[in-house]
Amino acid sequence: MEFSSFLTSLGTSFTIFIILMLLFTWLSAKRGNAVVYYPNRILKGLEPWEGGLKTRNPLAWIREALSSTEQDIINMSGIDTAVYFVFLGTVLGILVLSGVVLLLVLLPTASTDDEVKKNAKSTTSKGTFNDLDKLSMANIEERSPRLWAFLIAVYWVSLVTYVLSWKAYKHVSALRANALMSPEVKPEQFAVLVRDLPDVTPGQTSKEQVDSYFKSIYPDTFYRSLVLTNNRKVDKIWAELEGYRKKLARTEAIYEESRRKGNSEGKRPTNKTGFLGLCGKQVDSIEYYNEKIKKMTQKLEAEQKVTLREKQLGAALVFFTDRVTAALAAQSLHAQMVDKWTVTDAPEPRQLIWTNLTIKFFVRIVRQYMVYVLVFLTIVFYMIPIGFISAITTLENLRKLLPFLKPIVDQVQIKTVLEAYLPQLALIIFLALLPMFLLFLSKIEGIPSGSHVIRAASGKYFYFSVLNVFIGVTIGGTLFDTLKSVEEEPNSLVPLLAKSLPGNATFFITFVALKFFVGYGLELSRLFPLIIYHLRRKYLCKSEAEIREAWFPGDISYATRVPSDMLIITIVLCYSVIAPVIIPFGVLYFALGWLVLRNQALKVYVPSYESYGRMWPHMHTRIMGALLLYQVTMLGYFGVIQFYYTPILIPLPILSLLFYYVCRRKFYNAFCHTALEVASQELKETPNMELIFRSYIPPSLIPEKQEDEQFEGALSRVSRTGSFV
């Protein structure tokens, strides 16, 4: 592909983004689409359009995003989202400050040499992208004094990363502390999760065991315990009951609609009681579902009593009247043996993964190592198809493998698009299949909370992306093109791989451009959610609950978004000195991401949990991992091109490890636990402990009738016999 074709492909990407942005401006101004483009504001009772619809212009969303403060983000989407923007801003700062020096110094240094002209075979691009090769280290002669500029640049990028990531860590630590010091009552600050309960002694119940244990340690502040139960059967009944309630609401909505459109009596819906409603007796749907709900409610109440009495398990939630005591308990060693009385911070009620809470200590460890092995095997075996895809999805290889496509792919317009985007699109689609599998693996480790599962899956996805996309594509593409040379001279493999780096930069430049122009264009326009919403509303939704479910946006999806961002920063850092022209594309990716996602955080996404910035240490670790990979890559590359002063780079990886160690020792513990000085801040009101306690009761065990004396009596009886209530 010629340089002009490369520019044409970038222009096409930019055009697509402009079209999608204009579509967003037009579609978001229509009142019928407000629930798709402004759900977060609507759910908070705010007007979708700030200043009114008539005063808006096509760029109003940009002005609103730029003028928003960090506190605005916290108010609308929480601390976790604000921390994500700290990450975006930090990475953007690293690339901008690095780029100012690298672009001004390294591009003239590279472009004024003539190594590419002297030896056209020194690059894997084989005569293509010659103009870009002249702007990279591929154009610098081996052992040239010009390499000093590139070596010093490696130190500059590292220094900028250290300074900005340190400042970000301090800022996020302050954000977390301020949130936890809030005078508002948060249920999770008054509770701890207790796992690995010892076997109950004869004549004692689990509740009596937990109560007596914690009363003896915390006699003045212990409030109550909630011993977990096996809820599998009661959950099934509750889910069935909820299903009938949804069907009743839908049926009543259909009936009301028939009354509005027809006569005042309307037409009462009917259904068949047999298999899938296709056979059996025809009945009045409203009466039928009401009767089913009545029977299922009675069945649920009976099963709740059995569950509370007889199905207690080996874990509990313990509540204290004081959040300092809860913080102290969560970070204290309670038992002599590591597999007894394991006490940790309690997650938010909405985050709890109930089925994981009762998994025993050593079972959790075994599961964890089994998952690590599975992830390792996944990375290894995924590398094979990804390397294969990166090799065959070039136009030249497709012509060889699929000769019948020649008449199509040889057309100028199609050829330009395919050359620019085919390998990148294939890679993006292939990667899209992975996140759900990694979330599943993280969940079966035994992790107790949803936010922790997302952090774990995000880490797995990052390692997968770096090893398979960054390293796999580089090695796969190079080996495919140089296989014969390697067979003839096996010792040439390392130099070939090193010298392929400048040529591979063009692939990653296009990959980054595709991600930010097309990816963020689709993110902003929300075309797919819009189409799905209108189709569901027209053909499937009848009740208000169904309509709300159709437009509800969900959260920002950190499990996939953060690793994708980390992959981009890894790519850009690793090529920043080798091919500095990639830096503007990295800046555009994070700048556009900051702008578009700022709009989405303020108006669209609704957080599904709040972990008060617990994702940040994960982000910082991966930034340091990307920096370390960059430093090792540059050390190897300088060594291969035989620059005498390469050993000057050896201290950098050591310095990065030392910097990471200092950051972890200084900041990390405050993210694992709540500092006592933070927890000791006064509340604006006395906490209602009963409400805090009840917020943790699983939905399937909440009484259907709070005033039901029989059920309340059962609760008190069960309490005396050791239930969780």
Side-chain angles (χ1 to χ4, degrees):
M1 184 168 75
E2 300 298 332
F3 183 65
S4 58
S5 298
F6 173 69
L7 292 178
T8 301
S9 67
L10 292 180
T12 303
S13 298
F14 179 71
T15 303
I16 291 172
F17 176 76
I18 295 298
I19 292 170
L20 290 171
M21 189 176 76
L22 293 174
L23 271 174
F24 161 75
T25 303
W26 175 55
L27 293 170
S28 63
K30 296 185 176 297
R31 293 195 177 277
N33 296 335
V35 291
V36 175
Y37 292 102
Y38 305 96
N40 195 1
R41 292 183 62 83
I42 290 171
L43 288 170
K44 286 182 168 58
L46 303 173
E47 283 293 321
W49 298 278
E50 294 178 9
L53 180 58
K54 294 181 180 179
T55 62
R56 292 186 68 78
N57 62 71
L59 301 180
W61 69 275
I62 297 178
R63 174 182 55 78
E64 290 161 2
L66 290 173
S67 63
S68 64
T69 64
E70 187 172 69
Q71 191 58 48
D72 293 331
I73 295 293
I74 293 171
N75 293 340
M76 294 300 294
S77 292
I79 297 294
D80 287 329
T81 306
V83 168
Y84 177 63
F85 282 103
V86 172
F87 160 71
L88 291 180
T90 301
V91 173
L92 183 59
I94 291 169
L95 296 183
V96 169
L97 290 177
S98 300
V100 167
V101 173
L102 269 58
L103 293 172
L104 292 178
V105 175
L106 300 189
L107 288 184
T109 304
S111 62
T112 53
D113 209 341
D114 57 355
E115 176 66 10
V116 169
K117 189 179 291 185
K118 286 180 183 177
N119 186 8
K121 295 181 181 179
S122 68
T123 172
T124 57
S125 51
K126 296 181 180 177
T128 65
F129 284 107
N130 278 336
D131 293 290
L132 287 182
D133 287 334
K134 291 174 184 177
L135 300 176
S136 72
M137 288 183 73
N139 201 36
I140 304 293
E141 187 178 357
E142 289 185 357
R143 307 175 189 176
S144 169
R146 293 172 182 253
L147 292 171
W148 271 108
F150 293 86
L151 188 144
I152 294 170
V154 178
Y155 268 90
W156 170 248
V157 174
S158 301
L159 180 63
V160 168
T161 305
Y162 297 147
V163 172
L164 294 187
S165 61
W166 178 271
K167 289 179 66 176
Y169 221 139
K170 286 183 68 175
H171 179 59
V172 173
S173 295
L175 281 179
R176 175 175 169 82
N178 289 335
L180 293 174
M181 285 191 292
S182 168
E184 302 291 335
V185 174
K186 298 179 175 69
E188 63 273 13
Q189 290 187 304
F190 294 86
V192 294
L193 173 62
V194 184
R195 307 168 84 179
D196 308 309
L197 300 185
D199 294 335
V200 179
T201 56
Q204 188 182 40
T205 64
S206 292
K207 179 173 176 59
E208 289 169 348
Q209 179 192 45
V210 173
D211 286 355
S212 62
Y213 184 83
F214 282 94
K215 276 180 183 177
S216 65
I217 301 174
Y218 310 99
D220 299 324
T221 53
F222 172 77
Y223 174 69
R224 203 171 182 182
S225 67
L226 185 155
V227 175
L228 272 65
T229 51
N230 184 346
N231 298 337
R232 187 170 299 174
K233 189 171 181 180
V234 77
D235 284 345
K236 183 178 179 181
I237 297 171
W238 181 79
E240 194 174 347
L241 175 60
E242 289 297 300
Y244 282 124
R245 284 174 174 160
K246 288 181 180 179
K247 289 178 181 178
L248 177 61
R250 177 183 176 85
T251 302
E252 288 176 338
I254 293 172
Y255 178 53
E256 287 300 319
E257 186 178 358
S258 72
R259 293 181 66 181
R260 287 195 304 270
K261 292 181 178 179
N263 54 47
S264 58
E265 293 296 324
K267 181 180 178 181
R268 292 181 69 85
T270 60
N271 66 281
K272 293 182 179 180
T273 59
F275 179 71
L276 296 178
L278 300 175
C279 57
K281 182 182 177 183
Q282 193 88 6
V283 295
D284 182 289
S285 296
I286 294 176
E287 293 179 358
Y288 175 74
Y289 291 133
N290 272 316
E291 185 62 29
K292 281 288 185 182
I293 289 170
K294 183 178 178 181
K295 290 180 179 178
M296 292 304 299
T297 300
Q298 294 172 350
K299 187 176 180 181
L300 177 65
E301 290 175 355
E303 184 58 35
Q304 284 174 334
K305 296 173 185 178
V306 173
T307 300
L308 297 174
R309 289 191 185 101
E310 303 172 6
K311 299 184 179 181
Q312 298 169 28
L313 299 173
L317 287 156
V318 174
F319 299 87
F320 300 95
T321 57
D322 174 291
R323 60 182 183 178
V324 173
T325 308
L328 186 63
Q331 50 195 289
S332 300
L333 182 66
H334 283 78
Q336 193 75 10
M337 296 296 140
V338 69
D339 60 337
K340 296 288 187 288
W341 297 106
T342 305
V343 181
T344 56
D345 293 286
E348 290 180 304
R350 58 182 172 172
Q351 287 194 54
L352 283 169
I353 303 175
W354 295 97
T355 53
N356 283 355
L357 302 186
T358 55
I359 300 173
K360 291 294 185 181
F361 180 82
F362 289 111
V363 177
R364 296 198 297 271
I365 292 177
V366 171
R367 287 190 179 203
Q368 190 176 48
Y369 283 109
M370 288 177 64
V371 167
Y372 290 165
V373 171
L374 282 172
V375 171
F376 173 77
L377 293 175
T378 302
I379 290 172
V380 170
F381 286 104
Y382 244 66
M383 190 178 288
I384 297 170
I386 282 187
F388 183 70
I389 284 174
S390 69
I392 69 168
T393 50
T394 61
L395 208 55
E396 198 60 38
N397 290 331
L398 281 178
R399 282 199 192 95
K400 294 176 185 176
L401 296 171
L402 303 171
F404 61 88
L405 291 177
K406 285 183 181 179
I408 299 173
V409 299
D410 286 340
Q411 295 183 34
V412 177
Q413 296 85 353
I414 296 177
K415 180 181 177 181
T416 301
V417 173
L418 289 179
E419 281 184 329
Y421 292 130
L422 185 61
Q424 292 85 350
L425 280 172
L427 184 60
I428 289 170
I429 292 169
F430 206 67
L431 288 174
L433 304 175
L434 191 66
M436 293 305 296
F437 177 64
L438 295 180
L439 281 168
F440 168 75
L441 288 181
S442 298
K443 188 174 179 179
I444 64 173
E445 283 185 47
I447 292 171
S449 69
S451 62
H452 191 174
V453 164
I454 287 173
R455 292 197 300 275
S458 179
K460 295 177 179 67
Y461 195 48
F462 168 74
Y463 295 123
F464 176 89
S465 299
V466 169
L467 291 171
N468 282 284
V469 179
F470 176 68
I471 297 175
V473 166
T474 301
I475 293 175
T478 303
L479 287 181
F480 195 86
D481 289 333
T482 59
L483 196 57
K484 289 185 178 179
S485 302
V486 173
E487 287 176 357
E488 294 171 2
E489 193 178 349
N491 292 336
S492 67
L493 177 60
V494 173
L496 279 171
L497 290 176
K499 292 180 180 180
S500 74
L501 287 172
N504 282 319
T506 55
F507 172 91
F508 288 115
I509 288 172
T510 314
F511 179 80
V512 174
L514 187 64
K515 290 277 282 185
F516 69 74
F517 275 139
V518 179
Y520 283 128
L522 289 171
E523 172 71 55
L524 180 67
S525 65
R526 288 182 61 78
L527 283 180
F528 295 123
L530 180 71
I531 293 168
I532 292 170
Y533 163 68
H534 282 295
L535 287 175
R536 289 181 66 180
R537 180 167 186 178
K538 184 173 179 62
Y539 298 108
L540 299 176
C541 299
K542 297 298 179 182
S543 66
E544 288 298 320
E546 289 175 334
I547 293 172
R548 184 183 182 279
E549 186 179 337
W551 60 255
F552 191 79
D555 61 18
I556 207 166
S557 302
Y558 295 113
T560 54
R561 194 175 298 279
V562 171
S564 296
D565 295 339
M566 291 295 180
L567 175 61
I568 299 301
I569 186 58
T570 302
I571 290 169
V572 177
L573 277 181
C574 287
Y575 281 95
S576 60
V577 173
I578 294 173
V581 73
I582 200 173
I583 293 177
F585 293 91
V587 169
L588 276 172
Y589 175 88
F590 286 102
L592 197 59
W594 186 95
L595 190 65
V596 170
L597 293 173
R598 196 89 169 177
N599 177 79
Q600 307 302 77
L602 290 167
K603 299 168 185 174
V604 179
Y605 292 121
V606 178
S608 59
Y609 65 84
E610 178 61 82
S611 68
Y612 306 104
R614 285 291 296 273
M615 179 66 90
W616 174 254
H618 161 92
M619 293 172 172
H620 182 265
T621 298
R622 273 65 192 182
I623 292 173
M624 289 297 103
L627 182 67
L628 190 63
L629 182 60
Y630 153 70
Q631 292 165 344
V632 171
T633 300
M634 294 311 303
L635 184 61
Y637 187 75
F638 273 99
V640 168
I641 61 176
Q642 302 177 35
F643 186 53
Y644 290 126
Y645 301 98
T646 299
I648 293 175
L649 293 176
I650 291 176
L652 273 181
I654 300 170
L655 189 60
S656 292
L657 292 172
L658 182 62
F659 175 78
Y660 171 70
Y661 174 78
V662 171
C663 287
R664 189 174 181 88
R665 296 291 295 176
K666 182 176 178 64
F667 300 112
Y668 184 69
N669 284 343
F671 284 83
C672 291
H673 304 291
T674 302
L676 298 184
E677 66 177 2
V678 170
S680 64
Q681 300 300 309
E682 290 186 7
L683 296 168
K684 68 179 182 181
E685 61 182 11
T686 303
N688 185 327
M689 293 306 302
E690 190 61 23
L691 286 180
I692 290 173
F693 170 76
R694 289 188 173 274
S695 69
Y696 277 93
I697 298 177
S700 60
L701 289 177
I702 296 175
E704 288 295 314
K705 300 176 182 177
Q706 297 290 344
E707 71 281 359
D708 190 337
E709 293 182 2
Q710 181 183 359
F711 196 83
E712 289 296 326
L715 285 178
S716 62
R717 287 196 302 274
V718 174
S719 180
R720 287 192 295 272
T721 60
S723 151
F724 76 95
V725 180

